[in-house]
């Protein structure tokens, strides 16, 4: 097991180095520390500052006239009560969507730490707001990721959500627990499916391996569309005794008006 510790230390050292070295910006290719220049970082984060109200529970940008305290968020009505709160680094819109596409279909493994740093900044900002609803409470909170299906693991060779989750846990100084949520079969591709079809599709797809009794868990995913996946996983974690379940996603799909 000594080699595992060495590997962990090496990865940690590598992530510190990555944050400090000038690398090519993933969007504009200019030299930038941490893989994203200040201009592109600001452009990606701008989707969260569009001035409109954002749901205080699922981070959905609400239609004009609704505020964070409105009880009628179209997505929250369908979320499992087991899921406390979800936050996102940015909306799934240009130019942030390009980063997600680099990580997933284009297989750019190196995007994960950049996305994790954007998500960590959003989590920290949320926790620093004194009047905001609470985000995870305990320093002993476990971080895990939505598992990929066997087919996409074979095709890509890695789980995009897992790579972001591991880098996020390191940045937030929380314990990373891969394999807390398991999935042993593929589901249908959810692209283009409506809310009800998505919920039926993910039901029974995920289960918890245990070891969460009394613990708070932060689940990490790349994109949240309706929240069906996070809801099903939150239910599975709660059934195993998790105290509270939170969600952190890289990108939040805006409401379909
Ligand atoms: Zn740039
Ligand atoms: Zn909501």
């Amino acid at each position: 097991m000594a080699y595992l510790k060495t590997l962990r230390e090496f990865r940690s050292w590598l992530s510190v180095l990555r944050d400090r070295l000038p690398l090519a910006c993933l969007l504009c290719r200019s030299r930038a520390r941490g893989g994203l220049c200040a201009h592109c970082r600001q452009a990606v984060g701008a989707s969260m500052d569009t001035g409109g109200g954002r749901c205080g529970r699922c981070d959905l940008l609400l239609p004009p006239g609704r505020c964070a305290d409105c009880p009628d968020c179209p997505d929250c009505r369908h979320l499992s009560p087991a899921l406390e709160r979800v936050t996102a680094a940015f909306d799934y819109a240009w130019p942030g969507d390009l980063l997600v596409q680099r990580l997933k279909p284009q297989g750019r493994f190196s995007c994960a730490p950049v996305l994790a740093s954007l998500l960590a900044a959003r989590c920290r900002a949320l926790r620093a707001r004194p009047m905001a609803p609470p985000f995870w409470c305990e320093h002993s909170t476990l971080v895990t990721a939505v598992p990929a299906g066997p087919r996409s693991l074979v095709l890509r060779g890695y789980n995009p959500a897992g790579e972001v989750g591991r880098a996020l846990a390191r940045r937030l100084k929380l314990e990373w627990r891969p394999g807390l949520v398991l999935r042993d079969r593929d589901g249908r591709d959810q692209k283009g499916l409506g809310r009800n079809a998505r919920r039926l599709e993910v039901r029974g797809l995920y289960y918890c391996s245990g070891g969460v009794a009394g613990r708070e868990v932060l689940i990490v995913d790349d994109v949240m569309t309706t929240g069906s996946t996070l809801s099903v996983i939150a239910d599975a974690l709660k059934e195993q005794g998790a105290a509270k379940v939170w969600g952190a996603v890289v990108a939040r799909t805006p409401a379909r008006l």
Side-chain angles (χ1 to χ4, degrees), residues 25 27-28 30 37 40:
C25 171
L27 291 176
C28 72
S30 65
C37 74
C40 291

Side-chain angles (χ1 to χ4, degrees), residues 7-200:
L7 186 65
R8 269 199 297 273
E9 283 169 359
F10 177 68
R11 277 183 166 154
S12 168
W13 174 81
L14 213 56
S15 72
V16 171
L17 197 66
R18 167 180 283 281
D19 286 349
R20 298 198 176 155
L21 279 179
L23 304 166
C25 171
L26 284 165
L27 291 176
C28 72
R29 310 302 297 164
S30 65
R31 288 272 156 204
R33 271 190 190 167
L36 202 61
C37 74
H39 174 76
C40 291
R41 187 173 287 268
Q42 199 264 335
V44 169
S47 64
M48 302 305 279
D49 308 316
T50 40
R54 204 164 270 279
C55 173
R57 184 175 172 221
C58 75
D59 249 356
L60 181 73
L61 182 65
L62 297 169
R66 295 197 198 170
C67 67
D69 299 325
C70 288
D72 56 351
C73 163
D75 280 352
C76 279
R77 277 199 299 260
H78 304 277
L79 286 184
S80 163
L83 190 60
E84 301 283 335
R85 169 149 212 218
V86 184
T87 195
F90 49 81
D91 272 340
Y92 192 66
W94 188 89
D97 57 348
L98 297 177
L99 291 174
V100 178
Q101 286 159 23
R102 300 238 199 296
L103 176 72
K104 292 185 76 181
Q106 296 172 23
R108 292 276 296 273
F109 188 71
S110 56
C111 281
V114 176
L115 293 170
S117 81
L118 293 169
L119 188 49
R122 173 77 178 162
C123 289
R124 286 195 205 101
L126 214 59
R127 282 171 62 81
R129 277 188 216 157
M131 300 304 286
F135 203 38
W136 77 86
C137 308
E138 304 286 339
H139 292 298
S140 60
T141 297
L142 305 173
V143 181
T144 195
V146 174
R151 191 174 50 222
S152 78
L153 268 181
V154 168
L155 284 174
R156 281 200 194 102
Y158 66 96
N159 173 13
E163 293 307 313
V164 174
R166 184 172 56 192
L168 179 72
R170 194 182 300 129
R171 280 171 166 76
L172 296 175
K173 297 188 174 18
L174 296 175
E175 187 179 343
W176 169 234
R177 278 281 190 91
L180 210 56
V181 179
L182 300 169
R183 163 183 184 164
D184 51 18
R185 63 183 169 90
D186 286 304
R188 225 171 7 131
D189 189 350
Q190 291 185 35
K191 270 186 207 141
L193 295 183
R195 189 189 302 278
N196 289 337
R198 275 172 186 262
R199 196 180 310 143
L200 289 173

